[in-house]
Amino acid sequence: DVKVTQSSRYLVKRTGEKVFLECVQDMDHENMFWYRQDPGLGLRLIYFSYDVKMKEKGDIPEGYSVSREKKERFSLILESASTNQTSMYLCATSMVGNYGYTFGSGTRLTVV
Amino acid sequence: DAKTTQPPSMDCAEGRAANLPCNHSTISGNEYVYWYRQIHSQGPQYIIHGLKNNETNEMASLIITEDRKSSTLILPHATLRDTAVYYCIVRVGGGGADGLTFGKGTHLIIQP
């Protein structure tokens, strides 16, 4: 079975902390994505990567950075967490071509 | 990506077919119709996609009108576990690594 694993299901961090959200896939997919989901706003794309060491900004990259040193791992970094970054964070992967995306279960981050 | 319009909510009796409509009147010739669903507190799940022809897989059937301006997702024998938000997404084929644009979707409630 295809799997996208996010390191934490729930996370509580303090304002100003540096936060790492990890996503690992076992499917050899080229493309990886980070979204956040908020009530009333739907899913919004933060960053994506189409290859190792490659990254592209999505719709809301401010306050975030990413790292993709290996094909199977895509990390989302909050350099200095703020309360407005409290959200559900979702990682997704896809192959190149007309295929569906596979999502992880999500990390619910609370910044206090 | 072209915009889609879905009803905000629908009810369906358990065991009956659930028919979820989606309007995409501005769809372009090279854009596919994708369907995802999201069960509460989980990541979205890919269901099915198509370009012109009707498609069927183990989860659902997708009926696309001849003019491609609308489509219907059919869950043939709905169960309580099919209660979820269903998203209809239109995007260019080719599997570009540019993410998906999710609207508000249809909240399908399966009644026992």
Side-chain angles (χ1 to χ4, degrees):
Chain A
D1 240 10
V2 161
K3 277 193 181 164
V4 178
T5 303
Q6 295 186 228
S7 53
S8 304
R9 192 81 173 95
Y10 298 95
L11 210 52
V12 179
K13 295 292 182 181
R14 295 195 180 277
T15 301
E17 276 193 77
K18 190 168 186 176
V19 181
F20 292 86
L21 302 183
E22 305 286 344
C23 176
V24 179
Q25 53 125 339
D26 64 358
M27 301 162 288
D28 204 34
H29 284 182
E30 293 84 1
N31 304 326
M32 297 188 75
F33 309 85
W34 275 106
Y35 289 85
R36 64 177 282 177
Q37 185 173 28
D38 302 286
L41 296 176
L43 276 79
R44 294 179 290 169
L45 181 64
I46 305 171
Y47 267 96
F48 62 94
S49 168
Y50 53 88
D51 202 353
V52 175
K53 296 191 185 295
M54 306 303 291
K55 59 185 179 184
E56 295 288 340
K57 293 180 179 179
D59 299 320
I60 51 163
E62 297 78 20
Y64 303 93
S65 63
V66 289
S67 172
R68 193 168 181 198
E69 296 296 317
K70 294 184 179 181
K71 189 175 185 179
E72 66 271 19
R73 188 180 294 270
F74 192 36
S75 303
L76 180 69
I77 303 155
L78 288 66
E79 294 289 341
S80 178
S82 64
T83 54
N84 62 13
Q85 292 177 309
T86 291
S87 186
M88 168 72 91
Y89 289 87
L90 290 157
C91 175
T93 74
S94 75
M95 289 191 289
V96 173
N98 298 323
Y99 300 100
Y101 286 38
T102 302
F103 283 82
S105 298
T107 295
R108 189 165 291 282
L109 172 68
T110 302
V111 182
V112 298
Chain B
D1 293 28
K3 191 173 179 179
T4 62
T5 304
Q6 299 177 253
S9 64
M10 292 181 62
D11 287 349
C12 179
E14 189 177 18
R16 305 297 292 268
N19 297 282
L20 292 94
C22 180
N23 286 322
H24 30 79
S25 58
T26 59
I27 191 170
S28 301
N30 61 348
E31 288 180 316
Y32 286 70
V33 180
Y34 286 79
W35 283 84
Y36 287 78
R37 73 179 182 184
Q38 188 171 21
I39 295 169
H40 182 63
S41 296
Q42 297 182 21
Q45 178 189 23
Y46 164 79
I47 300 172
I48 198 168
H49 75 281
L51 181 63
K52 294 181 183 177
N53 300 322
N54 299 336
E55 301 287 345
T56 295
N57 63 21
E58 64 279 3
M59 289 183 68
S61 295
L62 174 61
I63 309 297
I64 302 174
T65 58
E66 194 168 340
D67 64 8
R68 303 209 323 122
K69 292 185 177 182
S70 65
S71 60
T72 301
L73 179 76
I74 301 171
L75 307 178
H77 304 287
T79 70
L80 297 178
R81 285 179 290 184
D82 292 322
T83 292
V85 178
Y86 288 77
Y87 297 97
C88 170
I89 296 165
V90 173
R91 71 188 301 270
V92 175
D98 55 351
L100 299 169
T101 300
F102 283 76
K104 295 188 176 178
T106 296
H107 187 194
L108 175 66
I109 300 170
I110 306 301
Q111 305 281 3

